Amino acid sequence: MIRRTAPLPLAGAALLAALLASCAPPPEPPAPPEPTIGVPAAGTRTPVAPPPSRSPSRSASPSASATGPRPTAKSRAKQAVWRPEPGTAWQWQLDGRVDTGVDVPVYDIDGFNNDASVVAELHRAGRKVICYVNAGSWESYRPDAAAFPRGLLGDANGWRGERWLDVRRVEVLRPLMAKRFDMCRDKGFDGVEADLLDGYTADTGFPLTGAHQLAYNRMIAELAHERGLAVGLKNDLEQIPQLVGVFDFAVNEECAEYDSCAPLAAFVRAGKAVFHAEYALSTEEFCGTAKRLGLSSIRKKSDLGVWRESC
């Protein structure tokens, strides 16, 4: 016989039901309707996606406000730009491994082909160092060659792999040259030799005028000064009166051979060096003129290697 449990009285049943109800979990509330993506849910101003967090500005950080930013090469633009004085001796070497043993206060070397360690070595020896970059023609062999739009490239300039640039396109060339000058600054150079700043006097394939060249050359000087770099006017003898106040020194080739050194005296009168080189003439043929005008003159071979002969 199966034994059955006797039914509880009504009051006991009610008490048991109440006890069971108190032990059961509460029912879950119905889920709110899911809002359409991109549209806030009704009755709320909270966006569907939280706004991106903002990192505090550098000026608000305790270390920056207490001690200021650490000086770097990029902050040198706030410092006074170096200005070499007339008669300062120099070495100009654009080809081969730089010979750092020449006893002169200024070196002019290729900016792309030399890294910061070469500049630092020269600085340790008490030298100032100028960064050679080409500002007037495109060079197929440079690492940034692909960054130059084809429309900027004109006729060949007589050097293998080079073509004149359309310097009328200042708005396009400015960021390209800015990156080159950034390189010079970041490697620690003190100044820039911007080559081929007289394209308006050559057959470039573009209808360049003196006004175009002046605007471009002034832009080049501005870019250098923004980075704390001195800048030299390369050749462009005809526009020296307009540019002597903008550039910090001059670099010239063969003014003695072509009897055209006199305009460079304007730089000397302004207290600025003229770094001058001759290739074909002997020192006996040009040093007298150079010393009379106050030029910093040397004789070089056209490959601009280590060899030099000074006045």
Side-chain angles (χ1 to χ4, degrees), residues 295-311:
L295 311 184
S296 302
S297 298
I298 55 177
R299 184 184 179 194
K300 294 288 293 186
K301 296 177 181 177
S302 59
D303 62 0
L304 293 177
V306 175
W307 184 88
R308 70 188 286 277
E309 188 178 4
S310 62
C311 288

Side-chain angles (χ1 to χ4, degrees), residues 9 38 44 46 78 102 127 161 170 174 190 196 267 275-276 308:
T44 179
T46 304
K78 298 179 181 179
V102 181
R127 325 290 192 211
V170 174
R174 185 183 184 97
D190 303 287
L196 295 181
F267 272 92
F275 297 119
H276 161 240
R308 70 188 286 277

Side-chain angles (χ1 to χ4, degrees), residues 193-267:
E193 178 203 340
D195 198 8
L196 295 181
L197 294 183
D198 55 357
Y200 74 106
T201 66
D203 295 326
T204 63
F206 304 113
L208 303 183
T209 67
H212 295 139
Q213 195 71 60
L214 278 174
Y216 184 69
N217 291 0
R218 286 172 174 144
M219 182 270 288
I220 289 294
E222 181 180 314
L223 287 177
H225 291 156
E226 286 174 353
R227 287 152 180 79
L229 297 167
V231 60
L233 179 65
K234 181 67 173 291
N235 297 324
D236 196 13
L237 297 173
E238 295 179 13
Q239 295 186 331
I240 285 177
Q242 295 96 326
L243 295 174
V244 65
V246 179
F247 285 79
D248 306 295
F249 59 92
V251 180
N252 177 265
E253 297 169 288
E254 300 186 295
C255 70
E257 182 174 358
Y258 295 101
D259 194 22
S260 58
C261 293
L264 291 162
F267 272 92

